[in-house]
Amino acid sequence: MALLEVRNIEKHFGHVEVLKNIDFDLEEGETISIIGSSGSGKTTLLRCLNFLEIPNGGTITVRGETLFDASKWKSVSEKQLRTKRLHFGMVFQSFNLFPQFTALENVTLAPMLAAKEQNTGESEAEIRRNGEALLEQMGLSDRMQNYPHQLSGGQQQRVAIARALALHPDVLCFDEPTSALDPELTGEVLKVIRELASKHTTMIIVTHEMAFARDVADRVIFMDGGVIVEQGDAKEVIANPKEERTRKFLQGYSQRADS
């Protein structure tokens, strides 16, 4: 049984179908990169997995527990949604740090709240120690008491990664983690994600960095028009795509990158 099983996920906004019959598995310790043009549904898929959007169809199962079944879904409380979201850590394009909190406070806030609301059993001291360890892992041991405005974009994104890891998620999700960064800061964030992959952190990464997707991911999913067009071994899909739509996308991306 795969750690994550996504079956026939559909999402529409009004009459616009954004996701159609999305179907894939994710094994524990595996990294999947999702590639595709803007508007292909990549971000919406991540938001559905994190219950920031509620799908209109399909099922989502983690470790054998069905978190979502459209045929049985009914309105749930915000507390129940927060419980479901604990399975997924989300790193956004634009960091989304709280400006009034230090780096360490940003990392420890959600675990502190979860400990009280979800009875996770972690003490405040344990949460603080874990937050400090995560920031040290991100190379930010000297920035723990800095506020977001005192950090570079790359440092802010590394704080955001530490924050997502602090809740011990089953799956860590990245939505274009370097798109808001200057080119010279992109490398430091990609290095952190490479290190997480080398430690077999289970991840889904929406990215426009094709070389990164090829070298770091175990598998690649190519989306277009709200559907999965092709998926498979990362190096194989990017070097030798089988589908014409995948080939056109990669050729177009290569031309843009070279221009």
Side-chain angles (χ1 to χ4, degrees):
M1 179 182 294
L3 184 152
L4 171 66
E5 298 177 0
V6 176
R7 295 288 179 268
N8 302 315
I9 288 295
E10 299 180 359
K11 179 63 182 176
H12 56 75
F13 297 104
H15 297 297
V16 179
E17 287 186 294
V18 181
L19 298 175
K20 308 166 193 173
N21 297 318
I22 300 297
D23 198 60
F24 70 93
D25 290 342
L26 177 66
E27 301 293 337
E28 186 154 14
E30 185 179 32
T31 295
I32 287 179
S33 283
I34 304 179
I35 62 174
S37 301
S38 296
S40 59
K42 309 184 300 297
T43 293
T44 300
L45 174 56
L46 286 191
R47 290 179 64 82
C48 284
L49 292 178
N50 284 271
F51 298 100
L52 297 171
E53 301 286 353
I54 304 303
N56 298 107
T59 61
I60 299 170
T61 303
V62 175
R63 298 192 187 279
E65 177 188 355
T66 300
L67 301 182
F68 175 80
D69 184 340
S71 67
K72 301 175 182 177
W73 186 259
K74 58 182 179 180
S75 296
V76 298
S77 68
E78 188 60 34
K79 180 179 179 180
Q80 289 172 313
L81 281 177
R82 286 196 294 270
T83 301
K84 294 177 185 293
R85 288 177 185 141
L86 290 175
H87 293 279
F88 299 90
M90 186 74 166
V91 180
F92 299 90
Q93 295 181 33
S94 54
F95 323 139
N96 286 13
L97 299 180
F98 294 108
Q100 71 273 34
F101 295 137
T102 65
L104 182 58
E105 289 169 340
N106 265 280
V107 172
T108 58
L109 177 62
M112 293 282 191
L113 294 174
K116 294 177 181 177
E117 183 178 85
Q118 310 289 340
N119 297 316
T120 61
E122 282 190 292
S123 69
E124 288 191 11
E126 288 172 328
I127 291 169
R128 184 179 178 85
R129 284 196 298 270
N130 184 53
E132 291 171 344
L134 286 169
L135 286 171
E136 184 174 352
Q137 181 184 340
M138 297 296 127
L140 296 169
S141 56
D142 60 340
R143 300 289 184 179
M144 294 188 191
Q145 299 307 318
N146 286 59
Y147 290 89
H149 75 273
Q150 297 172 315
L151 303 172
S152 70
Q155 290 168 338
Q156 289 185 60
Q157 191 61 296
R158 283 183 279 155
V159 172
I161 295 171
R163 178 179 61 183
L165 287 168
L167 286 167
H168 314 293
D170 293 298
V171 183
L172 186 59
C173 300
F174 293 86
D175 184 16
E176 301 273 16
T178 61
S179 65
L181 299 178
D182 294 332
E184 62 268 24
L185 299 177
T186 295
E188 66 187 60
V189 173
L190 295 182
K191 179 183 177 183
V192 167
I193 301 174
R194 286 177 189 273
E195 290 172 352
L196 291 172
S198 72
K199 295 176 181 177
H200 304 291
T201 305
T202 309
M203 296 186 288
I204 300 175
I205 307 169
V206 169
T207 183
H208 60 276
E209 303 278 351
M210 294 302 121
F212 176 76
R214 177 195 64 210
D215 297 340
V216 173
D218 300 292
R219 287 192 295 128
V220 158
I221 290 174
F222 169 62
M223 292 182 64
D224 186 41
V227 302
I228 293 177
V229 175
E230 185 169 353
Q231 60 177 308
D233 177 81
K235 291 179 175 61
E236 183 64 24
V237 169
I238 290 178
N240 300 294
K242 296 177 181 178
E243 299 295 330
E244 180 63 22
R245 286 157 75 182
T246 314
R247 283 195 291 272
K248 285 184 176 179
F249 168 77
L250 291 171
Q251 287 171 358
Y253 195 90
S254 177
Q255 290 167 359
R256 291 194 299 274
D258 293 339
S259 62

